Amino acid sequence: MSSYKNVIPKRSYQERGQAKERLHLGELEKKVDYGKRREIYKKKKKIENVLKEKIMNRNPDEFHTGMVHSRITDETHELKKEEKVQKTDVVLKNKRGDFKEQTNALYRKLKKINKVLENYNINVPLRYLFNNSHELYNEKEDTTTTYVLKAEKKKLKSRAVVLQRRYSALLNLKKNVLSQIRKIDNMYANTYKHVDGYCVLKGVGGAPHRFCAPRLR
């Protein structure tokens, strides 16, 4: 008989719901919700007990470097760490590294511009722009025939103007990039000024700076 009892489906247990009069207060907490809340509470309680134990066993003569290298302001009561003083060699090395990164980025940009300029083709023939007619010589009849291009004159001129503007813009961009590279190179050279006896001579007329090694005694 017990086996037959297990075969018959039983009604699943349902927890009590919230009454209609109290629906404005929200749903009742079920057992699953209570289990989750209980686990979270236990975890927090464990962490709290560990921290309490650490506080009780704390050494009153404890010392760490933050007490020396930081200051508390009167207005905000926040710890303000003092800036570390780096050596001049380290500062110069970091500066040179930054200059190298900037120059590498500019050289990559310059490479792209040069590639565009090399592949820049003006598809409009020059004779359509400066001369409205085109002559063809016939050897058999010893005559020349002229072909007048009136319909496409405005279109070709406008197209040529757009292409010329783009080309000049690319040239100006290349010029600006080269000037930026020259400036950064000069700044890089100035980092060696008065270091280990080196001397830096400024270039005249936009020329790059030059290094002068110390004289051997």
Side-chain angles (χ1 to χ4, degrees):
M1 292 294 290
S2 61
S3 60
Y4 287 111
K5 283 182 181 179
N6 295 330
V7 169
I8 298 167
K10 294 180 181 179
R11 184 180 177 185
S12 60
Y13 174 73
Q14 293 181 351
E15 296 187 34
R16 183 170 64 87
Q18 184 70 280
K20 289 183 180 179
E21 300 166 356
R22 297 172 59 84
L23 279 173
H24 63 280
L25 299 172
E27 294 184 0
L28 283 175
E29 188 181 35
K30 302 295 188 290
K31 191 175 181 181
V32 179
D33 303 328
Y34 167 71
K36 290 179 181 178
R37 187 164 59 83
R38 180 184 58 197
E39 288 176 3
I40 293 166
Y41 175 77
K42 283 184 178 179
K43 282 182 182 178
K44 289 181 179 179
K45 204 70 180 173
K46 278 184 181 179
I47 295 166
E48 189 180 345
N49 291 333
V50 171
L51 292 173
K52 280 182 180 179
E53 189 177 353
K54 284 184 177 180
I55 291 166
M56 289 173 68
N57 298 329
R58 186 180 62 180
N59 184 8
D61 299 327
E62 187 180 359
F63 172 79
H64 56 88
T65 54
M67 297 176 180
V68 178
H69 297 292
S70 58
R71 298 287 180 271
I72 297 174
T73 57
D74 297 331
E75 297 176 357
T76 56
H77 296 285
E78 293 179 357
L79 288 171
K80 288 190 175 181
K81 292 186 177 180
E82 296 177 352
E83 294 181 357
K84 293 182 180 179
V85 180
Q86 292 182 343
K87 295 181 180 179
T88 53
D89 298 339
V90 177
V91 173
L92 289 173
K93 189 178 180 181
N94 294 335
K95 271 188 180 181
R96 288 164 192 160
D98 294 338
F99 290 147
K100 283 180 181 178
E101 288 179 3
Q102 291 175 12
T103 48
N104 289 334
L106 288 170
Y107 274 119
R108 285 195 293 270
K109 191 175 180 180
L110 185 65
K111 190 177 180 181
K112 290 179 182 178
I113 294 167
N114 287 330
K115 193 174 182 181
V116 174
L117 287 171
E118 286 174 3
N119 299 327
Y120 201 90
N121 295 320
I122 298 175
N123 297 320
V124 181
L126 294 175
R127 63 174 181 273
Y128 292 169
L129 304 177
F130 301 107
N131 192 5
N132 197 20
S133 61
H134 180 58
E135 294 182 354
L136 285 175
Y137 179 71
N138 194 352
E139 294 180 356
K140 293 180 180 179
E141 299 178 0
D142 196 12
T143 56
T144 56
T145 55
T146 58
Y147 295 94
V148 181
L149 302 169
K150 290 182 179 179
E152 296 180 348
K153 184 179 177 183
K154 290 182 180 179
K155 291 181 181 179
L156 291 170
K157 275 196 173 182
S158 60
R159 176 68 177 161
V161 168
V162 171
L163 290 170
Q164 188 64 33
R165 282 178 184 171
R166 289 179 185 172
Y167 190 75
S168 59
L170 285 169
L171 289 175
N172 289 330
L173 186 62
K174 182 180 178 180
K175 191 177 179 181
N176 292 332
V177 170
L178 287 170
S179 64
Q180 288 177 9
I181 290 169
R182 181 61 55 79
K183 284 180 182 178
I184 293 169
D185 286 341
N186 292 338
M187 289 164 71
Y188 181 84
N190 283 327
T191 56
Y192 286 95
K193 197 172 184 180
H194 305 302
V195 176
D196 297 332
Y198 278 92
C199 182
V200 179
L201 297 176
K202 292 184 178 180
V204 181
H209 294 357
R210 291 182 298 165
F211 290 105
C212 288
R215 291 183 179 180
L216 297 174
R217 293 181 180 178

